[in-house]
Amino acid sequence: MKTSGFVKGVTKLALQALIRATKADIRTHGEENLPAGPAVYVVNHFTRMETFFLPYIIEKAAGMDLLALAHFSFFTGGFGTFLEKLGAISTRDPERDRKMIGGLLRGDRSCMIFPEGQMVKDKKLVERGKFMIYNAGIRRPPHTGAGLLALRAEFYRDKLRNFLETGYAEGVKEYMEYFGITTREKAVECAQMESLIVPVNITYYPIRARNNIVNRLAHLFVEKLPDRIEEELEVEGTMLSEGVDIDINFGVPIAPRAYLSGRRYDRRVHDRGLYLAGEEMKRGLRFGREAIALMQRYMESIYGLTTVNHDHVFAYLLEGYRKKRISVQDFKNRAFLAIDGIRELPMQSSHTSLGLKQRYLLTGDPHGRFDSFMDVAKSDGLVVEERGVIYKNRERFSKPHEFHDIRRDNVVEVLKNEIEPLREVASALDSVMRLPSCMVRRRIRAKFLELDRNIFESDYEKYYLDGESKPRNIGRPFFLKRFFGRKGLLLIHGYMAAPEEVRALGEYLYRAGYTVYGVRLRGHGTAPEDLASRKWEEWYESANRGYIVLKNSVKKMAVAGFSTGAGVALFQAINKGEAFRGVVSINAPLKVNNIGSRLASTVVLWNTFLSKLHLARGKMEYVKNDPENRHINYFRNPITGVAQLEKFMDVVEKHLKNLHVPALIVQGSKDPVVNPVSGIEIFDLIGGTEKELCRLYAERHGIVNGEGSLRVFRRVERFLDEVMG
């Protein structure tokens, strides 16, 4: 026995090392649901590798050895020996019921069973409202074996209790010998226990099938692998070698005893029958109806624990489109609304990524999870994408796939099937799909208009300084909407300023037929202390919110900015490419005239050093600012803000070579703030060839207000009219 335990321990250590060597991230949830006593763990079955790693995970979480029931086909060669050392029992083991029920009765072993009875590769579980499994060309209900096991274990426990209470020594002796109970004291203890059923769901994200190091290694030893093994290596090998999140959710335990009642049951418990022999068990222990009811309950619980992720949402929506032609923007809009909606549902489990900000779906910047999903859909031949439009291959979507190939040939269908049992989630996704596109855009626009304004109001309340903060209307973002207008401009103000700085330009272009959104960069329009706390990434994110509003308001748009806002505009155009018809940069600060700005990073480090020493003296946190527009700009310039500006313009400069949309660079010839060479350098660094440099004689920095601003407005209008067509 000791040798067996030692071998099993060594096997587990080897398995632990193997798991650590993979790129799989295994996360367990719901450990508070794990019972202290014995349990039957019922788990959904999707991959072959679950058979050997999942018992180890459950044992580790529950703190009890596990007997795992596995299909007899696994018990061949070295792999079968490996499984046996881990505590697996073959479905054809004649002693399986005695071993498993004995473990549950004694309370020293729990059991793990896959109620589907096989790997469910297509994840198709629900048909006409019932749980059904594909098997040998037909659909059949899941097996009730796990329910029967738990019911019989509790029946024998009740019988043992009755034998003890009535003094039926022969019955107690028979049960002790049959189930391996060593002492009468242990028998009394066993009679007081209870075996529960614990639903467990395992969800993989992402599921991808491609050539990987695992199947390449396999081909070194076997030239021609069977197709089924090839498919499993492509799917499961990719998970192990390239990384996969494995979420294991433990559900609320189910008490099988609640299904054991009635006069007939009581008579069986109180008679002297042992119900151990095959014929007696078959005649007496008829728990078929109870096992079916129990199966329905734990199957609902298992699939209610599915960890919903981005791929589920994308797959469900892609399947749900009736049209062949799909706008990428509409797809992402619906995905955003869908995720926003299902996060409000009482879901039992969702992937951590769904809890993050989802607006990145809408910003036009690369979205790794969406791009990864689309790559799979394209490689499976389900869709093609051209110039912002997705075209569905209806023949591929309607084609019936081989059960053992579907994970490789159409993972989109697999993912869609996986969340069908989550009725509330599926209903929420269906509701989003029923919305007309115009309503989807309207909801997105309204949501982000409200969000942007709420952010400003919250910042204004938090940082307001009496006598220093400007009126709210100066800092509030503005939206000049032309009904039925098709052209739009995202307009961004400069450093230490506010949307009011570019309002005159915005109103001029609004009168010229443009819808205009005037962005407020975080930290601006409130107080210098607000700006001191911000990173440049927050400025970019502020422009993204405006982009989402404008994108859902017009067909064509451009982006323009003044001073630091011009840097943000350039970076928007760099990252979003053809989403903009053009970009306008007015006095962008690639180089500044004030030498103090170039020392800002050094001053920030000095201030940080003094803070760590808890010293206030010697710090230089703000410098005086004497602005042109005193009703708009701050009078104090935070050193940390200058340092962020310096970092940001370095980033912009490095990426200007990737700017390929039409660009207009406007630069004042005698700008006292921004070195006039900035405009020339930006023009030269831009990678595209459709670019213009406009140098205007101006002795002021703020050329978008006051004297001479009208010629700037006209030049911008002419450029926009040209690029908008």
Side-chain angles (χ1 to χ4, degrees):
M1 195 73 171
K2 287 183 179 179
T3 304
S4 175
F6 173 76
V7 171
K8 185 174 181 180
V10 171
T11 304
K12 286 185 177 180
L13 286 173
L15 180 58
Q16 184 179 23
L18 180 64
I19 291 172
R20 287 178 176 173
T22 72
K23 293 186 178 180
D25 182 8
I26 301 175
R27 296 95 66 92
T28 56
H29 315 276
E31 287 91 341
E32 67 277 6
N33 293 323
L34 294 172
V40 178
Y41 293 90
V42 284
V43 193
N44 61 313
H45 197 9
F46 183 63
T47 69
R48 190 174 295 272
M49 60 189 181
E50 291 152 2
T51 309
F52 63 89
F53 85 78
L54 199 53
Y56 164 76
I57 298 296
I58 294 176
E59 282 188 12
K60 186 178 178 182
M64 182 178 289
D65 284 349
L66 196 70
L67 297 172
L69 189 63
H71 195 267
F72 69 87
S73 62
F74 290 135
F75 292 84
T76 56
F79 186 65
T81 304
F82 177 74
L83 291 179
E84 287 173 353
K85 289 177 181 178
L86 286 173
I89 300 176
S90 168
T91 52
R92 287 188 176 176
D93 186 337
E95 292 288 294
R96 69 173 196 181
D97 288 350
R98 185 177 68 83
K99 291 177 181 177
M100 299 182 87
I101 292 174
L104 294 171
L105 272 177
R106 295 190 305 273
D108 58 11
R109 293 286 191 279
S110 287
C111 301
M112 187 191 87
I113 294 178
F114 298 115
E116 296 104 329
Q118 64 182 59
M119 286 189 286
V120 184
K121 293 184 176 182
D122 64 354
K123 295 276 187 180
K124 183 66 177 175
L125 271 299
V126 178
E127 191 169 286
R128 297 180 181 177
K130 296 181 180 179
F131 285 101
M132 302 293 282
I133 310 296
Y134 178 88
N135 182 251
I138 62 170
R139 293 278 171 185
R140 59 160 177 79
H143 293 319
T144 56
L148 283 170
L149 177 69
L151 291 168
R152 286 174 178 169
E154 290 312 289
F155 170 75
Y156 289 127
R157 199 183 305 280
D158 285 346
K159 290 286 290 185
L160 178 60
R161 187 185 304 110
N162 178 63
F163 290 163
L164 289 165
E165 290 172 353
T166 59
Y168 183 41
E170 185 178 341
V172 173
K173 180 184 175 183
E174 289 282 351
Y175 272 26
M176 287 176 64
E177 289 180 356
Y178 188 79
F179 292 116
I181 302 171
T182 53
T183 66
R184 184 177 176 84
E185 290 75 16
K186 181 63 178 177
V188 172
E189 182 185 337
C190 293
Q192 306 308 313
M193 295 180 186
E194 182 179 13
S195 301
L196 301 176
I197 295 177
V198 179
V200 184
N201 180 278
I202 180 167
T203 309
Y204 300 90
Y205 176 59
I207 301 169
R208 302 290 184 261
R210 48 178 162 252
N211 189 25
N212 59 77
I213 190 171
V214 177
N215 68 328
R216 288 198 295 271
L217 285 172
H219 279 291
L220 291 177
F221 299 99
V222 182
E223 185 176 347
K224 178 62 177 176
L225 291 167
D227 288 343
R228 187 180 300 185
I229 299 299
E230 185 78 56
E231 183 270 346
E232 290 174 6
L233 289 175
E234 285 187 18
V235 175
E236 299 174 34
T238 299
M239 290 180 181
L240 294 173
S241 62
E242 296 187 14
V244 64
D245 292 341
I246 304 177
D247 286 279
I248 301 171
N249 288 282
F250 298 106
V252 176
I254 301 167
R257 186 165 290 171
Y259 292 79
L260 296 171
S261 62
R263 293 179 182 177
R264 183 180 177 184
Y265 178 75
D266 289 342
R267 283 199 304 269
R268 284 182 292 189
V269 169
H270 291 92
D271 66 25
R272 292 296 174 95
L274 297 177
Y275 298 94
L276 296 175
E279 283 302 314
E280 185 186 18
M281 183 185 295
K282 188 180 294 185
R283 290 195 308 270
L285 302 187
R286 296 178 180 176
F287 295 140
R289 184 169 57 186
E290 294 85 351
I292 290 172
L294 198 50
M295 178 270 289
Q296 288 289 342
R297 182 172 171 187
Y298 60 64
M299 288 296 289
E300 286 182 4
S301 184
I302 289 170
Y303 286 95
L305 291 165
T306 297
T307 301
V308 181
N309 57 53
H310 280 91
D311 276 2
H312 289 134
V313 175
F314 297 149
Y316 199 96
L317 295 181
L318 186 59
E319 285 265 1
Y321 270 97
R322 294 291 173 259
K323 297 179 180 178
K324 178 181 177 181
R325 189 177 185 275
I326 307 163
S327 159
V328 172
Q329 180 189 349
D330 186 64
F331 190 102
K332 289 184 174 181
N333 278 353
R334 291 180 193 273
F336 174 86
L337 287 181
I339 294 169
D340 205 44
I342 64 177
R343 287 196 301 191
E344 302 300 318
L345 298 176
M347 283 190 300
Q348 296 190 63
S349 182
S350 61
H351 193 268
T352 50
S353 61
L354 285 189
L356 304 176
K357 295 175 182 177
Q358 299 305 311
R359 57 178 173 266
Y360 299 123
L361 274 169
L362 310 175
T363 61
D365 298 312
H367 188 280
R369 298 185 188 278
F370 175 78
D371 294 341
S372 174
F373 173 82
M374 288 304 299
D375 286 345
V376 171
K378 292 172 188 175
S379 65
D380 287 351
L382 298 169
V383 301
V384 293
E385 182 182 343
E386 295 176 2
R387 300 184 64 84
V389 177
I390 301 167
Y391 296 92
K392 287 179 66 172
N393 184 339
R394 288 179 175 171
E395 183 180 344
R396 287 283 294 170
F397 271 93
S398 59
K399 174 186 175 183
H401 293 273
E402 287 292 329
F403 177 80
H404 291 289
D405 293 333
I406 192 167
R407 297 186 303 182
R408 176 173 57 187
D409 294 344
N410 191 350
V411 74
V412 171
E413 185 175 337
V414 174
L415 292 162
K416 183 249 186 184
N417 290 342
E418 188 170 28
I419 59 168
E420 274 188 337
L422 299 172
R423 288 185 287 271
E424 287 189 337
V425 173
S427 178
L429 295 174
D430 288 336
S431 296
V432 170
M433 288 307 297
R434 285 194 293 268
L435 288 173
S437 296
C438 60
M439 182 63 72
V440 171
R441 291 194 298 272
R442 192 177 303 165
R443 287 191 182 184
I444 296 284
R445 181 173 67 236
K447 183 177 183 66
F448 280 89
L449 275 171
E450 182 181 14
L451 174 64
D452 215 18
R453 288 168 181 167
N454 287 345
I455 289 173
F456 166 70
E457 296 296 339
S458 175
D459 289 349
Y460 193 86
E461 289 293 331
K462 180 178 180 179
Y463 291 101
Y464 177 81
L465 290 176
D466 190 28
E468 191 163 352
S469 294
K470 314 303 182 197
R472 288 178 189 266
N473 65 293
I474 299 295
R476 189 180 288 121
F478 61 84
F479 184 41
L480 307 176
K481 177 76 171 72
R482 291 196 70 92
F483 291 98
F484 308 113
R486 297 174 61 85
K487 302 182 295 184
L489 179 69
L490 189 65
L491 190 54
I492 310 168
H493 66 79
Y495 182 71
M496 287 194 296
E500 186 68 17
E501 181 179 55
V502 291
R503 181 178 288 274
L505 174 56
E507 290 179 343
Y508 175 89
L509 293 169
Y510 171 74
R511 291 191 296 271
Y514 289 87
T515 289
V516 181
Y517 192 87
V519 172
R520 179 192 78 102
L521 302 178
R522 276 310 275 281
H524 295 79
T526 51
E529 282 70 17
D530 187 6
L531 181 56
S533 69
R534 303 299 173 186
K535 304 290 186 184
W536 70 260
E537 290 87 351
E538 293 177 88
W539 304 341
Y540 184 78
E541 183 62 19
S542 299
N544 275 341
R545 289 192 294 276
Y547 169 86
I548 294 169
V549 171
L550 197 62
K551 181 75 172 176
N552 287 282
S553 304
V554 297
K555 294 288 185 182
K556 299 180 285 187
M557 61 181 182
V559 58
F562 167 71
S563 192
T564 298
V568 177
L570 289 167
F571 204 48
Q572 284 280 324
I574 289 166
N575 290 332
K576 295 176 173 53
E578 293 181 358
F580 293 113
R581 295 297 182 94
V583 57
V584 178
S585 165
I586 305 172
N587 285 358
L590 201 63
K591 286 185 168 54
V592 292
N593 283 328
N594 185 353
I595 192 171
S597 68
R598 294 192 289 275
L599 300 176
S601 297
T602 304
V603 176
V604 169
L605 288 173
W606 173 250
N607 289 341
T608 303
F609 173 70
L610 292 178
S611 295
K612 288 181 179 179
L613 297 177
H614 304 288
L615 297 175
R617 292 185 62 185
K619 284 187 178 181
M620 180 181 176
E621 295 181 331
Y622 298 90
V623 294
K624 183 181 178 182
N625 181 46
D626 187 17
E628 295 176 23
N629 300 305
R630 300 182 65 83
H631 66 295
I632 297 174
N633 296 85
Y634 293 155
F635 296 148
R636 289 181 295 128
N637 184 359
I639 294 297
T640 53
V642 179
Q644 285 300 309
L645 173 58
E646 184 182 59
K647 286 181 181 179
F648 175 55
M649 291 313 297
D650 283 345
V651 171
V652 174
E653 183 175 0
K654 289 175 184 176
H655 290 88
L656 281 171
K657 63 180 180 293
N658 299 319
L659 178 56
H660 295 284
V661 301
L664 172 64
I665 312 302
V666 179
Q667 178 64 60
S669 61
K670 293 191 175 182
D671 191 328
V673 176
V674 170
N675 191 321
V677 75
S678 292
I680 299 171
E681 291 192 0
I682 290 171
F683 179 84
D684 289 339
L685 289 169
I686 288 174
T689 56
E690 292 186 68
K691 52 186 178 180
E692 301 175 44
L693 176 61
C694 176
R695 298 193 68 199
L696 300 173
Y697 180 82
E699 297 181 353
R700 297 184 303 113
H701 177 60
I703 59 176
V704 292
N705 282 293
E707 183 181 352
S709 61
L710 187 58
R711 59 179 178 157
V712 175
F713 297 173
R714 288 171 177 164
R715 185 66 187 88
V716 172
E717 179 189 7
R718 189 164 71 248
F719 172 78
L720 293 177
D721 287 345
E722 289 173 359
V723 297
M724 292 289 193

